[in-house]
Structure formats: structure tokens, C-alpha cells
Amino acid sequence: MGFELRSAPSDLFTVSGTAEGLHRPDDEHVVQVEGHGVQLARLVRLLSVLLETSGGCTQPSWRTVVRAESWLDDILSATRPHTVLLSNDTSPLGVLAAHAAERHGANSVHVQHGAWTAESVAWPALHSRDIIVMGERDLALGRGWARHPEAEVHVLGQPRFDVLARIAVWACQPFNPDHLNSHADLLLDGLAEADGDWGLVIAPHPAQGADAFTALVKRDAGPPIAVADPRVGARGCLAGADVLASAYSTCGIEAALLGIPVLVRAERGASRLRPGWRPVWRCSGRGRP
């Protein structure tokens, strides 16, 4: 089996230009919106700017879309594929590719490439015929977002630790090894005694290397442990979290805004409570701590 790489034109996403029929002079056409008069001609000019100005692949100009569609049609006509694989069919170009595949009689397959949450996009829509999700937790979202009339959602596997029943994310600070190990021992002992099956995902501080947790990951007993890739941002780590634990990380604010319970390590002498992990806040459904 061979592979052939065909890149899009290098200037595709920089193409701007006029959109016919959109430039109109100011006129007397005004609509009232909650007591405000809005001139329709100004709305038309705003629309023309959005369609004419290229904002890259996430906001392509109208001319970019037309050229991209022509380029895709040429590729699909020449190769006549059975399947078109898409990593994102919610973006403008992804939607274009999914519908181009359908016109050419090819099956379109979307492969989930990142963590999903119900609030990740304002108007979620998946246009492919087959949708591959990482695990069972994404099955309902995939079915709810599918727009193809014959869409099917398939579970492939779960890199996001679906093997764990519940997930605690530990947002670390760059403490010395002894201090870090004391936090780990307390947290892992607590997870082992907690109701249900728990696993720990370690989110390293930017100043920490992955080798700081080598000994923890190799433990034979206790809850399963995984270390998040340093390239994964806070939102990615929190997407599958059931609780966040830390000493004083600002990730706690982000977790609270997502409605994830936050546990903070109470240091000896800093509180009248005995040292341990204690809940600090939890957001309501409306995002209020």
C-alpha cells in the first residue's frame, strides 16, 4: 500500500475579495430591535466583510470556500475514494469536505480528535455518515450532534482514561520530591478509601518534567495512575475530571467554572483542621461558586 500527499494550494487561506451583490449604499430601510433602530445596509456591509476577508481555515473567505470546493472536487474525481476521513467536520472546511464526499458517492468518516464537552461548541453539528468516538462517555454527544440522516456512531476506544470509573485530576506544583511524594501518598490513600473505583490523572506543572512522576506511575498497588501529556491544556485535562485536587493551583478556578468539585491540600499549621484534603468550592449549574 502506498501513500500520496496532495497539499492544498499554499495561498488558499489568504484569498480575499469581493462578494457580488453585497455592497449597497445606506438607505431608509431600518428595523427596530428592542428600541434600537438598525440600518439594514450596515448589516449587509458587515456580512460582506465576513464573507470577503480571509480568517484562515476557521473563517475562510467566500472565494476561499469556492476554491477549496473546486480543489476537493478535482481530488475526489481523480482518486475516487471509498472513504473520506475527517478529523473535524464541524468547521467550515470540514462541512465542505463531508458534503463533497457525499456528492462523489464516498463515505465520510469523522474521527474524534479531542475531548468533548456539552458546552464545547455553541451549535454542535457532525455532518459525516460515520462518527468514531473515543469511548462510551462520548456516545450520547455524538448521537446528539449528528446531522446526517443515516449517521451511525461507533466507539473505537478511549485514550481519555475511560477504563477508570471516576477520575481525579491532580494539578501539581513544583515542590521538592519529598513534599510531592507526601501529597501523592495522601491523595492516593484517600482515593483508595473512597467509595467507588477511582483513578488519578496527574497534570504536571510547566516547571516539572514527566520524570518527576516515574516512581508514582510504576506503583503496583493502589488506584491506577496516568500522567497527562504536557501539551494538553487545563481544559483538556478537566474535560473528563470528576474532581480536581491541588495545593493552590489556579486550575481550581477553571474547575469551579466547569462545575467540578475542588479539593485543596490543607498544610499543617495553615488551618485548625487536621492536615488533609478538604473541599473548597463547587459551582452550581449556573456557574456560581
Side-chain angles (χ1 to χ4, degrees), residues 12-18 51-55 61 63-64:
L12 180 61
F13 300 117
T14 62
V15 176
S16 297
T18 59
L51 291 177
E52 293 173 358
T53 305
S54 178
S61 66
R63 287 183 62 198
T64 291

Side-chain angles (χ1 to χ4, degrees), residues 15-261:
V15 176
S16 297
T18 59
E20 294 182 4
L22 283 178
H23 290 274
R24 299 183 182 277
D26 289 343
D27 52 34
E28 71 280 3
H29 296 294
V30 177
V31 294
Q32 297 297 319
V33 181
E34 296 185 355
H36 300 281
V38 180
Q39 292 185 343
L40 293 182
R42 294 190 176 183
L43 290 179
V44 170
R45 279 207 298 273
L46 175 62
L47 178 61
S48 70
V49 170
L50 292 175
L51 291 177
E52 293 173 358
T53 305
S54 178
C57 62
T58 58
Q59 185 186 306
S61 66
W62 180 254
R63 287 183 62 198
T64 291
V65 171
V66 172
R67 286 188 58 185
E69 185 173 34
S70 176
W71 175 74
L72 277 171
D73 280 334
D74 290 343
I75 293 292
L76 296 176
S77 296
T79 58
R80 299 183 180 277
H82 174 275
T83 297
V84 174
L85 199 62
L86 302 170
S87 65
N88 184 353
D89 68 356
T90 60
S91 67
L93 293 177
V95 174
L96 184 70
H99 289 290
E102 189 168 354
R103 285 199 312 273
H104 286 264
N107 190 38
S108 54
V109 178
H110 173 98
V111 179
Q112 181 186 355
H113 69 287
W116 284 350
T117 62
E119 303 83 13
S120 59
V121 286
W123 295 282
L126 299 169
H127 297 266
S128 297
R129 167 66 172 76
D130 289 290
I131 301 163
I132 312 298
V133 298
M134 291 181 179
E136 294 290 339
R137 70 172 56 194
D138 299 305
L139 192 58
L141 287 177
R143 287 172 174 167
W145 294 356
R147 293 295 178 266
H148 195 288
E150 299 178 0
E152 294 184 10
V153 184
H154 314 274
V155 177
L156 177 64
Q158 181 52 285
R160 288 198 298 140
F161 319 112
D162 251 10
V163 68
L164 312 177
R166 304 188 72 185
I167 301 171
V169 171
W170 178 22
C172 292
Q173 282 76 38
F175 297 135
N176 65 60
D178 290 340
H179 197 168
L180 201 64
N181 286 334
S182 70
H183 280 214
D185 289 339
L186 185 62
L187 182 55
L188 290 171
D189 288 346
L191 293 178
E193 296 176 7
D195 293 335
D197 295 325
W198 283 85
L200 181 65
V201 175
I202 301 174
H205 187 276
Q208 292 171 312
D211 56 346
F213 309 100
T214 301
L216 288 177
V217 176
K218 290 183 177 180
R219 289 190 178 192
D220 294 328
I225 304 172
V227 180
D229 190 292
R231 293 170 295 181
V232 177
R235 185 63 184 266
C237 288
L238 295 174
D242 295 295
V243 66
L244 175 80
S246 184
Y248 49 74
S249 174
T250 53
C251 287
I253 298 174
E254 297 175 77
L257 293 174
L258 294 172
I260 299 171

